[in-house]
């Protein structure tokens, strides 16, 4: 029985940096060889980074990726690693099929086997996801066969991402091992779902399954790693770390290949249909409880990689003394180092004393750079030029802060971090070009109630390590307020307490329940109607929002694509519509 | 030989307003019946409006659409129109297939035949586009058969949108007429392409083809109408107006139905594959010259409908005296009436005298409301609070204008119109939260050189009608300048004159040519490299831009989906990459 020493190298590619990504493959292959591995696998699109979006269908980019792969095979051999079998995801061009709009050629989301200085086998992803954040049907051509490669005397079947959702094919392949390369974006409950799918595949194929996942942040997505090896009975043999680059090495006793001299063989697959759902949808519990430590790592990873991959060494955060900006500042400090984070308190005449004290205390606890810049001179200069009152005046205050924050960002080359949370983005409770400014929004997909849980978790972590808790206790316990009018508090502005609001929003935005289903779930009908209307009317603002890391099953951004002009909302027991909208109700604030 | 009097009713649905859209179907059906039509057809998704994006896969919305359709059939009969055959596009729910992410059920992009108070036939779109602005594979399930309905003794085959790209199926159907309902978004050259496809279909099927298209604006798209009837030899028999609601009535001699008692019959179709390009791609010349009159109508329609459908009766435009803001103000005046448009001149110490004179002269010529609000007090208040110079100070000026514009928008309930053009958006030559603010950007897809052509065309139109030309001559002829530094002009800031720049951008952004292909086309290599780098580095700003009407084959927004974090750019004769980006080079301004 052949023994195969397999290494799963979960790397963090930079999108478009083909040379840098290939260097990482070389570096990790050497580490794997040093640990005796004869097979080392890298994630889906490890050569290019991803998701590539429309860059994935540009022939020049596919050509650069394929050329990079060829160089990589030669470089591996030149470095004495030619005997190691290296499996790596990349982009392969195709000129066989013109795209539907006649504009060019699409490409394949591909995996290659490199050995002895050459590309000895290639295979193309067969099942292309087109739900959620994915647009793969738009940009890739599907493969039409499954590749089985003989590696050190055993047959290894290669799968890319969602290919594993057709387990019957792998049973038919008669391989000794299924190796999946993937780049699965993080969301709460996602790792559990992935492990369930791997176990099902292992049992269906009757073989162990090794799965290597990417890590790191790319715009709205964070890849979470957790590369795993599962036994033929579905039990988990080994798992790599989450959110950091890691190498998982395991020795597997595997059956001998049918024909060890065969090299690679292919099993033809039927062309996938436009609707090809998983044959047995995996039951995932709705809203598994978010584990704050895991979410924290996702947010820090997303923020660190957005900054690093776009050339920012430092950040600036507007500190209000409230929970959202405080948590963003601590995330930024964990991501970039506190010495690289500037907090700015921008008080107005409506700011309470504790807002400034708490912001300053946060700065001291965390070790941030801290400044105070009062906004009143800017607000007064506007009010002297124009008549403004009510919501318009509230927006001027928020926009004065936005302008000052961006001035510091531009003057000092710091990434401006936005402090809005998912509850706020859902309800449109933010000012466009005001508190909505920024290059990256760490809490964009984090509901308010989870923001508090993150603060408590982070403080508990600090206590456990005998370090000072970063979040001032009063920031956690005080009643949230935008402080744009005297005595204003969030609870006057919202249709329900945050605990109720976040449950409704999770069921509406993430689970896509209808109004009637929400009411049947026991939520108050008037509150539900009000929430739905706020969500749909806020779409024009969200379409001008900064990107932020996805942590839920459905984030805003490319995960939820809604029209702005939209009169539909479901009221009462039958469908009805937005009333003819008034100017103030759809005020583009 | 039966004679069929066919009416094509090109309506302008409001997305989500099912009751309002059904009322329009009733109203236009009565007009058609008054003109003796026995068959009246409405556009794709006329009941719901579109594109629906993810709203299209919400079961509650599909249920509302199907219920609206049933009521509409009954209402038509109740109004004495039961004998008229009404063909209308709508959304039909489906519970037969779970979506790939397990989150719910998808729906069909459907067409129905209503008669005698009932829905007598339904058919589902078969070919779902997933390129350009379309996401139909994401949200719809494809149909699996072609419906042929007997109408007044002749067989009519029903197609939805791209279904006509499989002409062989229609030849097989043996119908007397092919009736296509569609909602084809406007772009330069699009109508010509559609007419070519209809002619090809008519010749392949050996029957006349009637095609009804929607009109009106929906967020980034403008539907252009031009509903048409084509004879069996491919020649055009009749065409409706462009950009306005219209009813095209024609009498056609058609062959008798095979079995006049058959009602409807179905021809089974193979399930479409993920990659199903048009069998013979239609050769479209790249960049047909834009016809300014047609583009003007598209921009006015998009602006008018965005305002009207979102409840805005009035708009506000920042007037710099330059060509972009001038053209936007004239578009707004044509769309909403000059009395509903406010122009604001916001001079700084760097503004030239002619900037203010020209802005004021424009206001007088067009009859706009006009105000002057100097920005210096706001800029000074910021500069007194923070050290700002260079680009950061330029951005403060632009953001002071953005803040004042939005203050007027919020205080008076006016839609803020953005004045950026496509050249500017391409190169990132605008300030995020500064001159990039607004609810709608009429020129977002219009290159600078076309902005000038539009101004000249609009003046010529005015001369031809003996009315005053709206655009001051000096605004057209003067050298463009951002006026953010003393003596600054655009030509110092750009790598090539606008005429060259716009040709490179059209070939790179719209035609997706690579760097090497551009150089082979004769463009200077250094200029090409500079332009590509500007385009890709500006992506973070464009993802926070307001929507604007698509007029080109590839607009920014949902038409071109690129990553922000992206180190790839093609330099020299082989692929290379962005240099490790510096903080200032990717400055999030």
């Amino acid at each position: 029985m052949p023994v195969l020493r397999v290494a799963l190298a979960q790397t963090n590619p930079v999108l478009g940096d083909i040379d840098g990504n290939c260097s990482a493959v070389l570096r990790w292959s050497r580490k794997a060889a040093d640990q005796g591995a004869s097979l080392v696998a890298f994630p889906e699109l490890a050569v290019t980074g991803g998701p590539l979006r429309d860059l994935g269908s540009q022939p020049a980019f596919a050509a650069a990726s394929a050329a990079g792969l060829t160089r990589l095979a030669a470089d591996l051999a030149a470095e004495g690693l030619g005997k190691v079998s290296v499996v790596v995801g990349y982009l392969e061009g195709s000129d066989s099929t013109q795209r539907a709009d006649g504009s060019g050629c699409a490409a394949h989301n591909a995996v290659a086997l490199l050995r002895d200085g050459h590309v000895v086998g290639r295979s193309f992803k067969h099942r292309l996801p087109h739900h959620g954040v994915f647009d793969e049907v738009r940009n890739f051509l599907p493969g039409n066969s499954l590749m089985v490669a003989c590696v050190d005397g055993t047959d290894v079947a290669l799968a890319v991402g969602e290919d594993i959702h057709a387990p019957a094919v792998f049973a038919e392949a008669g391989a000794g091992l299924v190796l999946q390369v993937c780049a699965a974006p993080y969301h709460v409950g996602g790792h559990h779902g992935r492990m369930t799918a791997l176990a099902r595949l292992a049992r269906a194929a009757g073989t162990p399954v090794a799965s290597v996942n990417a890590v790191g942040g790319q715009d709205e997505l964070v890849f979470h790693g957790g590369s795993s090896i599962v036994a033929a009975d579905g039990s988990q043999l080994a798992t790599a770390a989450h959110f950091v680059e890691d190498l998982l090495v395991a020795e597997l006793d595997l059956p001998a290949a049918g024909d060890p001299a065969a090299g690679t063989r292919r099993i033809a697959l039927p062309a996938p249909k436009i609707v090809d759902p998983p044959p047995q949808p995996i039951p995932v519990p709705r809203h598994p409880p978010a584990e704050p430590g895991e979410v924290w790592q996702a947010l820090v990873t997303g923020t660190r990689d957005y900054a690093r991959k776009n050339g920012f060494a430092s950040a600036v955060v507007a500190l209000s003394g409230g929970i959202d900006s405080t948590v963003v500042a601590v995330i930024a400090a964990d991501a970039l180092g506190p010495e690289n984070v500037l907090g700015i308190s921008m008080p107005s005449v409506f700011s309470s004393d504790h807002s400034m004290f708490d912001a300053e205390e946060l700065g001291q606890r965390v070790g941030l750079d801290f400044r105070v810049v009062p906004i009143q001179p800017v607000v007064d200069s506007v009010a002297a030029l124009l008549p403004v009152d009510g919501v318009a005046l509230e927006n001027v205050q928020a926009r004065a802060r936005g302008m000052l924050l961006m001035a510091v960002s531009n003057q000092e080359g710091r990434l401006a971090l936005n402090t809005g949370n998912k509850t706020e983005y859902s309800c449109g409770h933010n000012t466009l070009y005001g508190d909505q400014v920024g290059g990256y929004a760490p809490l964009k997909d984090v509901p308010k109630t989870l923001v508090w849980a993150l603060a408590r978790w982070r403080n508990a972590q600090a206590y456990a390590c005998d370090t000072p808790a970063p979040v001032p206790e009063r920031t956690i316990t005080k009643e949230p307020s935008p402080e744009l009018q005297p005595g204003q508090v969030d609870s006057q502005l919202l249709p329900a307490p945050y605990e109720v609001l976040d449950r409704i929003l999770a069921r509406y935005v993430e689970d896509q329940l209808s109004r009637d289903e929400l009411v049947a779930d026991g939520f108050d009908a008037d509150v539900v109607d009000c929430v739905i209307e706020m969500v749909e009317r806020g779409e024009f603002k969200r379409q001008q929002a900064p990107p932020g890391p996805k942590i839920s099953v459905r984030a805003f951004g490319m995960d939820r694509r809604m029209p702005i002009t939209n009169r539909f909302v479901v009221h009462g027991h039958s469908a009805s519509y937005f009333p003819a909208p008034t100017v103030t109700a759809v005020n583009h604030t």
Side-chain angles (χ1 to χ4, degrees), chain A residues 94-116:
Chain A
S94 164
D95 51 9
S96 65
T97 306
Q98 192 146 25
R99 284 168 56 197
D101 63 354
S103 67
C105 300
H108 296 288
N109 183 339
V111 62
L113 171 63
L114 312 181
R115 201 164 48 204
D116 297 325

Side-chain angles (χ1 to χ4, degrees), chain A residues 346-384:
Chain A
M346 293 184 278
S348 78
V349 292
F350 303 124
S351 298
S352 54
D353 290 346
H354 61 75
S355 295
M356 284 165 282
F357 295 152
D358 293 346
E360 186 164 11
E361 191 189 330
L362 165 72
Q364 287 165 353
R365 285 176 179 224
V366 179
L368 308 177
D369 203 353
F370 180 76
R371 283 177 227 166
V372 179
V373 183
I375 64 166
Q376 210 55 43
V378 183
V379 176
D380 290 345
S381 73
V382 173

Side-chain angles (χ1 to χ4, degrees), chain A residues 290-369:
Chain A
E291 204 281 282
E294 183 185 277
V295 172
W296 189 270
Q297 280 184 285
L299 302 178
V300 169
T301 302
T303 305
R304 176 191 292 139
D305 277 4
Y306 188 86
R308 180 176 67 84
K309 294 178 178 179
N310 286 292
F312 290 98
S314 62
V316 58
V317 185
L319 296 183
S320 70
I323 190 72
D324 300 321
S325 59
T326 298
V327 168
V328 168
V330 181
I331 290 168
D334 284 1
L336 306 174
E339 68 283 9
N340 295 315
V341 180
L342 168 63
I344 308 186
S345 167
M346 293 184 278
S348 78
V349 292
F350 303 124
S351 298
S352 54
D353 290 346
H354 61 75
S355 295
M356 284 165 282
F357 295 152
D358 293 346
E360 186 164 11
E361 191 189 330
L362 165 72
Q364 287 165 353
R365 285 176 179 224
V366 179
L368 308 177
D369 203 353

Side-chain angles (χ1 to χ4, degrees), chain A residues 56-78:
Chain A
S57 54
Q58 291 189 5
F61 185 63
S65 162
L69 186 81
T70 306
R71 281 199 307 275
L72 174 60
D75 290 349
L76 283 162

